[in-house]
Amino acid sequence: MLYRPSLPARINRLDELINNLWWSWHPQARDLFRALDYPLWRLSGHNPVKQLRDINAEKLKAAASDPSFLTLYDSVMAAFDSNMSTRDTWFENNHPGLLSAPVGYFSMEFAIHNSLPIYAGGLGILAGDICKEASDLGLPLVGVGFMYPQGYFIQRISPEGWQEEIYKHLDFSEAPINPVPSSEGRKPFVTIQLNDRSVHIGAWKVRVGRVDIYLLDTNFEENTAQDRQLSARLYIADRELRIQQEIVLGIGGVRVLRALGINPVIWHANEGHTAFMMLERVREEVEKGATFDEAVEKVRATTVFTTHTPVPAGHDTFSMELAERYFHRYWGQLGIGRDEFLELGQETNNSGDAFNMTVLALALAEHCNAVSKLHGEVTRKMWHVLWPESREEEVPISYITNGVHVPTWIAPEMGRIYEKYLGQDWVKRHDDPELWDRVMDIPDKEIWDVRQLLKRKRKAAILDRAQKSWADGNVTAPQVLTMGALLDPDVLTIGFVRRFAEYKRPALIFRDLERLKRIVNDRWQPVQIIFAGKSHPADFPSKYLLHQVYTLAADRALQGRIAFVEDYDMHMARYLVHGVDIWLNNPRRLREASGTSGMKAALNGIPHLSVLDGWWYEGYNGSNGWSIGDGPRTYDPEEEDRADAEALYRLLEDRVVPLYYDRDRDGIPHNWIHVVKETIRSVVPQFCARRMLKEYTDRIYTKAAQASNKTG
Ligand SMILES: *Cc1c(COP(=O)(O)O)cnc(C)c1O
């Protein structure tokens, strides 16, 4: 937003392009920035706002008179204009007139692009992918979240193998954000009450194609020093600061939209953190004259709630005392008293006396869904207590399985193969299962060559990072080896890449160290494993696990075949989901609500090797990858670890490794490529964000919009 050399008139719409993250999922637009100044594009971390801030004016002048650059520029701008304004979209064609105003989508985090580091993991990726897909489908949607200047943290690993968290302050002039309501400057424009004081809230706008996201900010001098920090970081551990933060998001978020004249028809809460948004809308109705019950009825009919947490302990809760402290001035405005208010979030199971954000959301949203088929079952069982008179199957929580935004997660090189064999319009039709039958006709060699190329690119990205860390003096020489300097792109490579959490069992594969050594160190059929992922700063058991994995990776006995790549983020995620051979996922059963990283890998031709949990429970078809152990059931944890480790080793030894190294005379493992093709064919159309968002629209938004039309 700040700059920079002024743009030559012929290419001055670059300004619009860099301020809309639309460019991030359109390869031609990325090519444009690459063509503009390749070294700077790389140095900026693929961030055109930074690139254009730092670019040399001569470069811009040269580009403005370079015919090949201008041809590309014109073509990108034409595609941009057409995407931004066309009425020929799936939504317009299938649901004309359904929504007179957008869906309001509230989320603690949004992962759109690395230049906007306001996400921690899967929840944010889902929110970002939904915004992009809404833009592609022409579904009117507006996001509400936070503009955290410190975001999540940057991960470093000490020489002793412990995670260190570094909080860097984002330079807002490098981010694709602009202050609202006017671009003249940032100032707060709504207030909320936190106990006895007012907090002033402003917002930034991010454009994601046709979708706008408003990111709240409390860092204004009108606020106390502590309140200025409320929007500073993601997932504050302190419960009192957290309730304050969630009040800012929920209540402040509704007020920000209203102040901007945006009045959603449907309100969608992504996870319980955002549920205070529902209370604020009840308050509005009561203010307009409704009774509490009438207000709740109206709000419920137009509210959608997506729950992501499969274990009771994982839900966002506050002590009743905190809920009382922050809402004792508010419940009167809802037309209810203390007891009635606290009951809205009261857990009715024996887990005690807490104000539970999921319970609140389930009470105030009529349209509730889990994020995979199995997670739906788990969720209905978990919340059956709230509907004691119903049978478990009748608990009103449905499921819509998550999906990933294909244009974001596809490697351009794989995209070109799909273009050649599935047709120019494959992106437009990518949720059509029939289209993907044609994958079987792609010559094995073309897939194999691209897979090898992507592994080399991943190697280069890892080495690049290791080299930088070494040059900056952040790591010791042995750490450079552990960061993946010895990885060989010709070796079968397993990716274990995800947030570190106990239930994901990152150390499972080390359970029998001698057996693992035999597998990875095999002279003719070696195997390597890449680990990456962050532990939540307050999750000490998971930090200990990370330490354990890191220490084992550094063990010379494993010959440098195990790597730990620091600071997993969207940027590194792209290289990893493009550039390994197998995606390993071994959570404890019934703990992974969905998981999405395996879907990203699959669409790039990386088969899944996973416990039958989350999305894999419905994704596995017997020939598109492998399932570790048996299906969902309850286990003694020690027995579960033993059985799954055994199953994992056997699969690797007997099936996966031999298949990968079974080469024909042309050097290609044709039977392996068959699994790759089966992976692509079966996963892409089913686990893409397009299928997911069409389902949300057809099954949920349609109903909520009709209810809204009825009640006016
Ligand atoms: C996809 C993604 C995730 C989600 O990973 P899961 O294994 O599905 O939990 C988390 N972080 C990043 C950076 C991702 O790209």
Side-chain angles (χ1 to χ4, degrees):
M1 29 142 326
L2 282 179
Y3 342 77
R4 103 185 163 211
S6 65
L7 291 166
R10 178 67 176 83
I11 54 172
N12 64 5
R13 294 191 65 208
L14 279 176
D15 190 34
E16 246 173 280
L17 199 62
I18 66 173
N19 277 299
N20 190 325
L21 285 158
W22 178 90
W23 68 261
S24 71
W25 74 95
H26 291 88
Q28 216 189 19
R30 298 169 67 97
D31 288 344
L32 186 69
F33 297 122
R34 207 170 286 130
L36 189 60
D37 185 338
Y38 182 63
L40 202 52
W41 169 247
R42 285 200 55 188
L43 267 179
S44 71
H46 300 176
N47 176 355
V49 174
K50 192 168 172 184
Q51 183 189 22
L52 258 74
R53 187 196 61 184
D54 298 342
I55 199 167
N56 185 318
E58 291 306 313
K59 279 254 155 115
L60 286 173
K61 243 171 72 203
S65 57
D66 170 357
S68 74
F69 182 84
L70 292 176
T71 307
L72 184 57
Y73 171 83
D74 291 339
S75 159
V76 169
M77 293 318 298
F80 178 62
D81 288 339
S82 145
N83 275 203
M84 291 296 287
S85 62
T86 180
R87 298 189 62 92
D88 181 18
T89 63
W90 173 82
F91 183 77
E92 280 293 329
N93 292 332
N94 289 276
H95 298 281
L98 180 69
L99 295 173
S100 55
V103 175
Y105 187 85
F106 283 57
S107 180
M108 271 300 243
E109 41 173 319
F110 286 90
I112 317 283
H113 183 258
N114 234 38
S115 55
L116 203 57
I118 53 169
Y119 62 90
L123 187 73
I125 300 279
L126 177 77
D129 281 6
I130 280 184
C131 292
K132 291 171 183 170
E133 193 61 54
S135 175
D136 291 347
L137 289 177
L139 171 75
L141 187 135
V142 59
V144 178
F146 270 116
M147 185 57 228
Y148 311 100
Q150 301 175 29
Y152 209 42
F153 61 92
I154 295 171
Q155 179 192 53
R156 265 205 211 131
I157 312 291
S158 75
E160 296 74 36
W162 295 101
Q163 170 175 296
E164 290 169 355
E165 294 104 31
I166 294 174
Y167 287 93
K168 220 173 85 182
H169 212 281
L170 180 70
D171 178 349
F172 281 17
S173 74
E174 296 178 0
I177 56 175
N178 288 284
V180 284
S182 88
S183 51
E184 273 133 53
R186 45 186 300 274
K187 40 179 184 299
F189 58 96
V190 305
T191 57
I192 55 147
Q193 284 301 119
L194 277 185
N195 204 355
D196 52 359
R197 62 189 194 274
S198 299
V199 176
H200 304 267
I201 303 170
W204 302 83
K205 179 154 112 174
V206 183
R207 304 189 146 224
V208 182
R210 300 161 76 123
V211 167
D212 292 333
I213 305 178
Y214 293 95
L215 299 174
L216 311 189
D217 187 356
T218 62
N219 186 19
F220 296 101
E221 53 190 38
E222 290 85 344
N223 290 328
T224 66
Q226 201 201 39
D227 291 342
R228 295 181 72 156
Q229 294 293 317
L230 284 178
S231 58
R233 285 184 193 182
L234 196 49
Y235 300 133
I236 308 171
D238 181 276
R239 295 315 295 171
E240 182 152 9
L241 294 177
R242 257 302 262 288
I243 197 170
Q244 296 178 11
Q245 197 180 38
E246 292 184 17
I247 291 169
V248 171
L249 179 62
I251 297 177
V254 174
R255 294 185 188 175
V256 160
L257 289 184
R258 299 292 190 208
L260 295 170
I262 300 166
N263 297 297
V265 177
I266 297 167
W267 302 71
H268 190 156
N270 188 35
E271 191 55 311
H273 316 124
T274 62
F276 292 142
M277 160 263 268
M278 305 172 195
L279 285 179
E280 173 64 4
R281 289 170 44 237
V282 172
R283 191 199 60 76
E284 289 178 336
E285 294 300 327
V286 170
E287 192 177 33
K288 281 190 256 169
T291 65
F292 175 73
D293 289 340
E294 289 163 354
V296 167
E297 195 183 337
K298 196 162 168 189
V299 166
R300 272 179 56 84
T302 52
T303 303
V304 182
F305 169 52
T306 302
T307 178
H308 297 258
T309 316
V311 272
H315 288 267
D316 197 21
T317 60
F318 299 105
S319 69
M320 285 298 182
E321 190 261 324
L322 270 183
E324 188 164 353
R325 186 177 318 154
Y326 285 94
F327 283 92
H328 70 278
R329 289 158 199 260
Y330 193 86
W331 60 57
Q333 301 172 55
L334 299 173
I336 54 176
R338 173 184 178 278
D339 294 348
E340 228 179 323
F341 178 81
L342 295 180
E343 225 168 78
L344 285 171
Q346 171 85 52
E347 291 176 344
T348 40
N349 50 13
N350 46 20
S351 62
D353 199 29
F355 192 90
N356 185 311
M357 295 298 280
T358 304
V359 174
L360 177 69
L362 291 171
L364 296 180
E366 185 175 317
H367 314 276
C368 300
N369 72 285
V371 292
S372 71
K373 182 168 195 266
L374 187 57
H375 181 228
E377 291 171 21
V378 170
T379 304
R380 283 189 292 277
K381 181 180 264 180
M382 183 162 44
W383 297 113
H384 191 189
V385 285
L386 298 176
W387 286 271
E389 67 293 345
S390 304
R391 284 182 300 135
E392 195 174 298
E393 314 82 79
E394 296 165 348
V395 168
I397 304 174
S398 63
Y399 76 90
I400 290 182
T401 304
N402 284 344
V404 294
H405 185 246
V406 169
T408 294
W409 296 105
I410 188 85
E413 295 85 350
M414 284 305 284
R416 281 198 283 276
I417 296 189
Y418 299 157
E419 207 171 287
K420 185 163 157 197
Y421 291 95
L422 274 56
Q424 286 287 336
D425 61 346
W426 78 271
V427 174
K428 269 214 176 93
R429 299 178 49 202
H430 73 255
D431 61 332
D432 173 4
E434 264 177 41
L435 175 74
W436 293 93
D437 288 340
R438 292 191 218 156
V439 164
M440 293 310 187
D441 304 333
I442 303 173
D444 289 358
K445 181 168 171 25
E446 291 200 32
I447 292 192
W448 179 247
D449 287 349
V450 164
R451 297 281 341 124
Q452 296 304 101
L453 170 69
L454 292 172
K455 287 175 70 178
R456 288 196 296 275
K457 289 183 89 164
R458 180 262 301 155
K459 178 188 161 103
I462 287 177
L463 283 182
D464 196 48
R465 208 172 250 200
Q467 194 269 338
K468 265 201 202 90
S469 298
W470 171 246
D472 291 346
N474 291 331
V475 292
T476 63
Q479 281 186 288
V480 173
L481 302 186
T482 309
M483 290 175 86
L486 296 176
L487 294 177
D488 176 347
D490 291 330
V491 168
L492 169 62
T493 306
I494 299 172
F496 188 100
V497 176
R498 48 180 44 82
R499 198 160 52 76
F500 266 65
E502 268 187 302
Y503 81 85
K504 294 190 187 242
R505 296 192 291 179
L508 186 74
I509 202 168
F510 295 103
R511 200 179 148 90
D512 181 344
L513 201 54
E514 291 312 312
R515 197 158 170 191
L516 178 65
K517 272 188 217 161
R518 282 198 298 277
I519 293 171
V520 302
N521 296 339
D522 188 283
R523 185 100 184 260
W524 306 110
Q525 308 193 333
V527 173
Q528 56 197 12
I529 312 174
I530 300 178
F531 286 89
K534 296 174 178 178
S535 291
H536 186 280
D539 182 356
F540 294 99
S542 125
K543 287 176 138 175
Y544 183 77
L545 266 174
L546 190 152
H547 170 77
Q548 195 186 352
V549 167
Y550 191 89
T551 312
L552 287 162
D555 187 339
R556 187 193 300 262
L558 289 159
Q559 304 186 0
R561 299 243 185 249
I562 317 265
F564 188 101
V565 175
E566 282 181 14
D567 199 35
Y568 176 47
D569 60 8
M570 261 184 110
H571 188 67
M572 190 44 85
R574 280 171 62 87
Y575 288 105
L576 293 170
V577 301
H578 298 167
V580 297
D581 297 300
I582 293 276
W583 204 256
L584 174 63
N585 180 45
N586 49 233
R588 209 169 275 303
R589 278 168 187 65
L590 305 176
R591 294 293 190 88
E592 192 66 89
S594 164
T596 53
S597 60
M599 304 171 187
K600 302 170 197 165
L603 61 99
N604 288 293
I606 300 172
H608 208 32
L609 170 59
S610 168
V611 169
L612 279 178
D613 202 25
W615 75 277
W616 194 231
Y617 176 69
E618 62 203 274
Y620 179 56
N621 69 9
S623 55
N624 59 352
W626 298 272
S627 93
I628 303 170
D630 54 8
R633 66 181 178 100
T634 348
Y635 260 107
D636 163 61
E638 173 59 27
E639 172 55 21
E640 188 179 15
D641 287 354
R642 194 204 56 73
D644 286 341
E646 172 64 26
L648 173 57
Y649 292 132
R650 288 190 73 120
L651 277 172
L652 288 173
E653 291 161 349
D654 299 346
R655 313 261 305 270
V656 178
V657 180
L659 195 67
Y660 185 82
Y661 286 105
D662 173 19
R663 306 292 163 89
D664 272 7
R665 248 175 300 169
D666 56 7
I668 295 171
H670 291 283
N671 292 327
W672 178 268
I673 299 295
H674 189 77
V675 178
V676 167
K677 288 179 176 176
E678 185 61 29
T679 294
I680 297 167
R681 188 192 69 75
S682 63
V683 175
V684 186
Q686 201 182 342
F687 298 97
C688 56
R690 178 152 302 184
R691 187 273 310 147
M692 166 179 66
L693 204 56
K694 284 184 178 178
E695 254 190 82
Y696 273 106
T697 309
D698 294 341
R699 286 186 28 214
I700 296 186
Y701 294 160
T702 305
K703 263 195 229 147
Q706 281 157 358
S708 159
N709 291 340
K710 245 180 262 148
T711 56

